[in-house]
Amino acid sequence: MVGLSAGEKHFIQGGIAQDLRADGRKRLNYRPIYVETGVIPQADGSAKVKMGATEVIASVKLDLARPNPSQPGKGKVSLFVSCSATAGPMFEGRGSEELSAELSVALQRCLLGGKSGAGAAFDPSCLSIVDGKLCWDAYIDGLVVSADGNLLDALGAAIKAALTNTRVPVANVPAGASLDEDPDVDLSSQETTRIDTSGVPVIVTLTKVGRHYIVDATSEEESQMSSAVSVSINKERRICGLTKRGGAGLDPSIILDMISVASHVSEQLMNKLDSEIAAAEADEQDT
Amino acid sequence: MAGRGGSTPATYSPSPATQNKKKKAPIFTDSDWVRPDTRGFTQCRPAFFRTGAVNAASGSAYAEIGDTKVIVSVFGPRESKKAMMYSDIGRLNCNVSYTTFATPVRGQGSDNKEFSSMLHKALEGAIILDSFPKTTVDVFALVLESGGSDLPVVISCASVALADAGIMMYDLVASVSVSCLGKNLIIDPVLEEESYQDGSLMISSMPSRDEVTQLTITGEWSAAKIHEAMTLCLDACSKLGKIMRSCLKEAALASQE
């Protein structure tokens, strides 16, 4: 990313203070969001999301596995993000490790819920085939193709769309088969079930520049931030995860204020995303 | 179990009680949950800090809060690696590792690889990086025993170690976490409580400045509950800050004599 001159920095900060950002948006406006589902035919579910110049792809793959002994009725979900070098030369080789790890941890926190499973994006018991013996393991992978700020929100949206797009194959286990060795699972029926994604939260990142908060920051605006708070909120306005990023300290009352602003913004984002995902799914079924 | 006479040597077999460690999650009613160590819901474990644990380091500290034992050593400011670009502010490098015997099951500590970057984020807001340009300060934390609430103990111990090393900071960073079990908020959870938790909130703050350097929340919360948990934690942080300060004062007095 090219450095910013002092004049450009003042322009960004001054514009935000006056509720008029460099691309004409208000502080709490998102860039236009485009969602496309089914972009990876070999995956069980996939989606691509574009927010301005930020482009991310999420895919969901399902594998047969043995469930965790402590949670026999549920499948396992694992989430990982990587940054492609197409987003910028600094992501080549090991350069993207730190950013990928940070994004992965933040998304796991927002979408996988607490240790007992409360607050998770979707109920993993829909992935169970035979209680205690066989289940689907869901591997959710995010890929950053082009980075222009607000990666977390875009990845959250892409994962929501990919989960909605996921078709879980119906597995028929012949009755009486012994499940202690590798069973002959019958996957030939073309039936699939879908995952209930009504509870999947959206992630809203509020970036604090000067004394004001903006939503959906570009990478130039992010370079001027003092700190950022990413809040994951679901349809019932419950907070499913929160991460504060950035070094500067924040007053606790400001954090609570940011949470209420994020909660307010999340409603619009949730509606927009739901309609975009529904449109993308309808498009995909037509083709 | 000593051997008897001159016959075959006795072998030790673990007592049956220790073999049934894998219990199913208990189903609690909200008011009946009694904490394993009989603390109240809003009572933290007693904290113990001591500086000067590692002689070879610029600064170090040992912290023991309940069963969680952590040692942190600070090296620096020392020359940045030649491969790194010139930087007119200082750099902070953090590493958190677990001993293999720290967790009840050997080797489980490697699940917590993200603690290094979380420690970095908690501390970078408090250190005055301008005071040591072109150099790096290394913070190495070793968890000797994991008894629950590991990362908050590591963060608090690291800021005592940084103070012992004489690195300039805006304020000490104290850190506390709260677990949500059903409707109850339980402060400073132990390992058992953490494995059943529905949600957790961890806060790192600078008590005298009343500023939050790091906040992470997992699980499902309402805004009112977050408010309640934050006030609880910030109060605990300020009390922990006082304990950390008194430990540093004692160390300073002792070195003066």
Side-chain angles (χ1 to χ4, degrees):
Chain A
M1 200 198 76
V2 184
L4 292 174
S5 68
E8 285 170 312
K9 289 180 190 170
H10 276 297
F11 188 74
I12 292 176
Q13 287 165 4
I16 289 171
Q18 294 183 24
D19 205 14
L20 181 64
R21 291 153 73 171
D23 52 6
R25 285 183 285 157
K26 292 201 171 299
R27 285 196 284 262
L28 298 179
N29 284 0
Y30 269 86
R31 288 172 284 189
I33 304 175
Y34 295 110
V35 176
E36 209 180 308
T37 55
V39 292
I40 302 179
Q42 295 150 327
D44 295 291
S46 60
K48 178 165 85 169
V49 166
K50 257 198 230 189
M51 272 188 192
T54 297
E55 196 175 320
V56 301
I57 297 182
S59 77
V60 178
K61 290 212 73 143
L62 300 168
D63 266 342
L64 286 169
R66 199 162 270 263
N68 211 328
S70 57
Q71 295 189 314
K74 301 187 177 186
K76 300 197 284 286
V77 182
S78 64
L79 205 154
F80 186 67
V81 174
S82 65
C83 297
S84 154
T86 57
M90 63 279 199
F91 293 137
E92 192 197 336
R94 299 192 59 180
S96 64
E97 255 180 40
E98 206 185 303
L99 181 60
S100 306
E102 190 191 322
L103 289 170
S104 303
V105 168
L107 282 168
Q108 281 161 6
R109 191 173 295 134
C110 292
L111 297 174
L112 298 185
K115 282 245 172 72
S116 72
F122 64 94
D123 188 4
S125 39
C126 66
L127 296 175
S128 169
I129 304 173
V130 177
D131 204 58
K133 299 274 172 65
L134 203 60
C135 70
W136 289 111
D137 264 358
Y139 294 96
I140 306 179
D141 289 295
L143 179 69
V144 174
V145 173
S146 165
D148 188 24
N150 208 22
L151 293 172
L152 207 52
D153 294 16
L155 282 162
I159 291 176
K160 187 175 163 74
L163 284 170
T164 315
N165 181 244
T166 305
R167 303 285 180 267
V168 182
V170 167
N172 292 316
V173 181
S178 159
L179 288 164
D180 291 324
E181 311 97 33
D182 283 326
D184 285 325
V185 181
D186 176 22
L187 292 169
S188 60
S189 74
Q190 299 289 351
E191 295 163 27
T192 54
T193 56
R194 302 177 60 156
I195 301 179
D196 176 22
T197 54
S198 55
V200 178
V202 285
I203 305 180
V204 175
T205 302
L206 279 172
T207 310
K208 184 162 186 283
V209 178
R211 284 175 32 215
H212 302 273
Y213 328 129
I214 52 174
V215 127
D216 196 13
T218 61
S219 50
E220 285 172 352
E221 291 167 333
E222 270 183 0
S223 67
Q224 296 308 303
M225 75 170 184
S226 54
S227 51
V229 169
S230 298
V231 189
S232 148
I233 304 179
N234 68 8
K235 269 212 169 75
E236 283 94 43
R237 305 277 278 252
R238 311 264 299 172
I239 292 152
C240 301
L242 190 150
T243 315
K244 175 193 171 293
R245 290 147 51 213
L250 276 182
D251 201 75
S253 55
I254 294 192
I255 293 185
L256 291 167
D257 189 39
M258 282 170 122
I259 292 176
S260 66
V261 170
S263 183
H264 176 76
V265 171
S266 73
E267 215 179 297
Q268 298 165 20
L269 179 62
M270 179 81 84
N271 293 337
K272 179 90 173 53
L273 266 182
D274 281 341
S275 61
E276 284 287 321
I277 292 174
E281 289 279 276
D283 272 343
E284 203 214 345
Q285 272 175 1
D286 288 340
T287 54
Chain B
M1 303 235 187
R4 285 192 198 164
S7 52
T8 53
T11 51
Y12 172 70
S13 49
S15 60
T18 55
Q19 278 170 344
N20 294 335
K21 280 292 182 192
K22 297 185 197 127
K23 294 183 277 214
K24 281 200 136 156
I27 303 162
F28 344 73
T29 51
D30 288 318
S31 47
D32 285 357
W33 173 246
V34 173
R35 303 183 73 169
D37 46 3
T38 68
R39 279 185 285 150
F41 287 172
T42 55
Q43 201 180 343
C44 291
R45 294 172 289 187
F48 171 79
F49 292 92
R50 183 62 53 92
T51 57
V54 175
N55 284 336
S58 313
S60 60
Y62 169 75
E64 193 175 311
I65 298 189
D67 279 337
T68 306
K69 301 173 176 64
V70 172
I71 239 185
V72 176
S73 49
V74 170
F75 294 90
R78 47 185 192 179
E79 192 184 345
S80 294
K81 290 211 187 81
K82 294 205 171 55
M84 304 224 183
M85 270 176 19
Y86 170 83
S87 153
D88 53 3
I89 56 170
R91 264 185 265 259
L92 177 66
N93 173 36
C94 295
N95 192 284
V96 178
S97 54
Y98 275 66
T99 53
T100 44
F101 45 83
T103 48
V105 174
R106 183 187 181 275
Q108 244 181 4
S110 53
D111 290 340
N112 297 322
K113 290 207 179 78
E114 70 270 13
F115 280 9
S116 303
S117 69
M118 290 172 79
L119 175 63
H120 185 281
K121 295 216 162 57
L123 294 175
E124 69 176 342
I127 298 182
I128 305 180
L129 292 166
D130 301 335
S131 63
F132 47 94
K134 303 185 273 190
T135 52
T136 305
V137 165
D138 292 311
V139 177
F140 298 122
L142 183 65
V143 178
L144 297 165
E145 190 181 333
S146 159
S149 218
D150 299 337
L151 186 59
V153 177
V154 166
I155 294 174
S156 313
C157 187
S159 56
V160 173
L162 283 164
D164 185 48
I167 308 285
M168 287 185 71
M169 298 194 282
Y170 292 113
D171 189 9
L172 290 173
V173 179
S175 180
V176 163
S177 76
V178 131
S179 252
C180 173
L181 279 129
K183 290 207 187 70
N184 300 325
L185 285 176
I186 295 188
I187 206 171
D188 203 13
V190 287
L191 208 55
E192 196 192 327
E193 290 164 343
E194 272 184 344
S195 60
Y196 304 146
Q197 67 187 6
D198 287 330
S200 79
L201 183 147
M202 188 195 81
I203 223 176
S204 310
S205 81
M206 296 194 272
S208 328
R209 288 171 66 103
D210 195 28
E211 267 181 21
V212 171
T213 55
Q214 193 189 45
L215 172 62
T216 53
I217 299 181
T218 54
E220 203 176 315
W221 297 71
S222 64
K225 212 155 177 211
I226 292 185
H227 187 101
E228 195 192 325
M230 272 178 70
T231 20
L232 197 60
C233 281
L234 288 169
D235 182 57
C237 280
S238 65
K239 297 202 172 108
L240 188 61
K242 290 199 187 90
I243 298 178
M244 287 155 68
R245 242 171 254 282
S246 62
C247 152
L248 287 166
K249 274 200 197 117
E250 269 175 38
L253 281 174
S255 66
Q256 265 174 10
E257 289 152 16

